[in-house]
Amino acid sequence: MRKTSAVVLVLALGVFGIITTEMGIVGVLPQLSAELGVPPSTAGWLVGAFALVIAVTGPFTTLLASGIDRKKVLAASIAVFALSNAVYALTTQYEVMLAFRIIPAVFHPVFFSVALATAARMVVTKDGEDAKAATRATTTVFAGVTVGFAFGVPLTSHLAGHLSLPAAFWFGALVNLIALLGILRLLPSLPVGQRVSYGAQLSVLRQPRMWLAITSVVLIFAAMFSVYGYFAEYLGQVTDMDGSWVSAMLMAFGIVMILGNFAFGSLLQRNLVRTALAYPALCLLVYVLVYAIGPRFVPMVLGILVWGAVHSGGLIVTQSWLGRDARDAPEFGNSLFISFSNLGITLGTAAGGWVLSAAGARRLPWVGAGFAIAALVVMLVRLSLDRAGRRTPQSGEVAASHAAVRAAP
């Protein structure tokens, strides 16, 4: 039991290291822009390109890796992240940095999907526990995401501001290296058993409802990251915060995210549809607030707490929303969620970067607000299909009704 718990914690550490690698860039974009000699909008592609690669390759790489020993997949994936962080620490070339953002992005969805499945498999096969134990294990692994936002991202920013930019990336390399050693030491060999056919998994994409759900996921993540992707730029240029304050705000933002994640989870259990529809509306209200108080230091500090609480719900709300239409292939649905949420991050950071260059950081909240409105419209269209389906009798019902009419005297 102790060894199994240790494995789950190691997998959570790996997720933490991957999120720190992926999103830690957000807090050091101004320093990277200066170090690499590129404008902030170009540096923003270090976030956007990472997400774009996940969006394009996610479902395919996850399917291709489905026949390989789980331990080998996890070890290889986390090793790539450790190596990439070392390259970030050593290079001063934008092209090299960009290349080593693309390479680990290929392994990102593979590690996530395999880590979650492995955590569930370990507690069931080793300890004979029920589905609740598997849920607890996967929840622990998934907690690495929010902890990464709460501590990994701001700590990266803090190290860059108080020590050096390379020190921030060596920290990421160390975390991933420790996770790699833990996987090699604690995780047993896990060969793959029976595989679900590709066709059975791909069949969920034939549903129009699924594509509307996917579109809403893309738009919500675009709403989130068109502004959050330039968090440091906004606070520095609009609120006039220095690096220390930005680091503190990133940490406060992340801590509130942990609490907000549980709050949104509770709301989803009560009413999934209402909570999902409320989310883009809340994003819209938050961005109006952020725009209104942006130049005012103290109100903005408080506003960041509200922003973080709402931002935290994006992950669990959109995953639950898409999951309604992927019940027949939940694992493939998760890979679609990872892929298209990152497409949303790419779209959002690209749009935010364009507005940042063309109109300045002050206008960034309106980009997020526009995406939030679009997401709400698509979600309402998605729900209209459910209402139309309930109003329209099924073919069998129609035939039975006609038969009854013909039989009537």
Side-chain angles (χ1 to χ4, degrees), residues 238-398:
V238 178
T239 316
D240 198 27
M241 290 187 180
D242 60 21
S244 297
W245 270 101
V246 170
S247 298
M249 291 300 95
L250 280 167
M251 182 166 289
F253 191 97
I255 291 172
V256 171
M257 275 188 65
I258 296 175
L259 302 175
N261 184 65
F262 288 107
F264 274 101
S266 176
L267 290 172
L268 284 167
Q269 290 177 10
R270 296 178 184 179
N271 194 306
L272 190 155
V273 172
R274 289 181 183 176
T275 302
L277 285 177
Y279 187 77
L282 288 172
C283 284
L284 174 61
L285 293 175
V286 162
Y287 289 140
V288 171
L289 174 67
V290 168
Y291 179 82
I293 65 176
R296 302 168 62 188
F297 197 99
V298 174
M300 190 60 194
V301 170
L302 299 176
I304 285 170
L305 301 180
V306 178
W307 183 7
V310 172
H311 188 89
S312 68
L315 192 68
I316 189 170
V317 167
T318 51
Q319 185 182 40
S320 300
W321 179 251
L322 189 146
R324 296 172 71 238
D325 296 308
R327 293 189 182 100
D328 294 335
E331 292 183 3
F332 183 63
N334 283 335
S335 71
L336 290 172
F337 170 74
I338 294 170
S339 179
F340 283 98
S341 62
N342 278 276
L343 179 60
I345 294 174
T346 304
L347 177 61
T349 54
W354 180 80
V355 170
L356 181 65
S357 298
R362 183 80 174 100
R363 302 289 184 269
L364 282 171
W366 294 122
V367 187
F371 280 123
I373 293 171
L376 181 58
V377 170
V378 171
M379 293 171 80
L380 289 171
V381 173
R382 163 67 188 84
L383 284 179
S384 71
L385 294 182
D386 285 345
R387 299 190 192 100
R390 286 194 293 268
R391 288 196 300 267
T392 304
Q394 300 298 316
S395 58
E397 294 172 347
V398 172

Side-chain angles (χ1 to χ4, degrees), residues 214-240:
I214 286 172
T215 301
S216 61
V217 169
V218 172
L219 291 171
I220 285 177
F221 271 81
M224 294 164 63
F225 285 88
S226 58
V227 188
Y228 178 76
Y230 299 95
F231 188 93
E233 294 289 340
Y234 190 83
L235 294 185
Q237 295 181 24
V238 178
T239 316
D240 198 27

Side-chain angles (χ1 to χ4, degrees), residues 16-359:
F16 169 81
I18 286 177
I19 289 296
T20 300
T21 301
E22 179 184 8
M23 301 310 304
I25 293 287
V26 169
V28 298
L29 272 183
Q31 296 99 311
L32 268 178
S33 176
E35 179 72 19
L36 300 175
V38 296
S41 58
T42 302
W45 273 103
L46 296 172
V47 179
F50 194 106
L52 178 61
V53 172
I54 295 174
V56 172
T57 67
F60 305 104
T61 53
T62 302
L63 288 174
L64 288 173
S66 61
I68 305 173
D69 186 294
R70 307 289 84 185
K71 179 175 182 176
K72 293 179 181 177
V73 170
L74 290 168
S77 299
I78 204 70
V80 169
F81 274 84
L83 175 62
S84 297
N85 275 280
V87 172
Y88 304 158
L90 296 171
T91 189
T92 57
Q93 299 295 316
Y94 176 78
E95 293 77 12
V96 174
M97 175 78 79
L98 183 61
F100 277 87
R101 292 292 288 172
I102 292 172
I103 294 170
V106 174
F107 292 86
H108 178 286
V110 177
F111 187 91
F112 259 84
S113 59
V114 173
L116 290 169
T118 299
R121 178 178 175 180
M122 288 293 293
V123 296
V124 172
T125 60
K126 292 294 182 182
D127 299 322
E129 295 190 28
D130 57 11
K132 290 184 178 180
T135 301
R136 287 195 298 269
T138 54
T139 300
T140 301
V141 173
F142 205 71
V145 175
T146 52
V147 176
F149 275 104
F151 299 105
V153 175
L155 186 53
T156 298
S157 176
H158 179 81
L159 291 172
H162 290 79
L163 293 178
S164 67
L165 200 54
F169 295 130
W170 284 122
F171 164 70
L174 178 62
V175 171
N176 286 291
L177 180 60
I178 293 173
L180 170 62
L181 295 175
I183 289 169
L184 293 175
R185 175 68 178 83
L186 298 174
L187 191 66
S189 177
L190 294 171
V192 177
Q194 186 176 1
R195 295 169 59 184
V196 180
S197 70
Y198 295 159
Q201 297 181 68
L202 292 169
S203 64
V204 299
L205 295 175
R206 297 173 186 168
Q207 307 169 21
R209 289 175 173 83
M210 172 59 80
W211 285 106
L212 286 170
I214 286 172
T215 301
S216 61
V217 169
V218 172
L219 291 171
I220 285 177
F221 271 81
M224 294 164 63
F225 285 88
S226 58
V227 188
Y228 178 76
Y230 299 95
F231 188 93
E233 294 289 340
Y234 190 83
L235 294 185
Q237 295 181 24
V238 178
T239 316
D240 198 27
M241 290 187 180
D242 60 21
S244 297
W245 270 101
V246 170
S247 298
M249 291 300 95
L250 280 167
M251 182 166 289
F253 191 97
I255 291 172
V256 171
M257 275 188 65
I258 296 175
L259 302 175
N261 184 65
F262 288 107
F264 274 101
S266 176
L267 290 172
L268 284 167
Q269 290 177 10
R270 296 178 184 179
N271 194 306
L272 190 155
V273 172
R274 289 181 183 176
T275 302
L277 285 177
Y279 187 77
L282 288 172
C283 284
L284 174 61
L285 293 175
V286 162
Y287 289 140
V288 171
L289 174 67
V290 168
Y291 179 82
I293 65 176
R296 302 168 62 188
F297 197 99
V298 174
M300 190 60 194
V301 170
L302 299 176
I304 285 170
L305 301 180
V306 178
W307 183 7
V310 172
H311 188 89
S312 68
L315 192 68
I316 189 170
V317 167
T318 51
Q319 185 182 40
S320 300
W321 179 251
L322 189 146
R324 296 172 71 238
D325 296 308
R327 293 189 182 100
D328 294 335
E331 292 183 3
F332 183 63
N334 283 335
S335 71
L336 290 172
F337 170 74
I338 294 170
S339 179
F340 283 98
S341 62
N342 278 276
L343 179 60
I345 294 174
T346 304
L347 177 61
T349 54
W354 180 80
V355 170
L356 181 65
S357 298

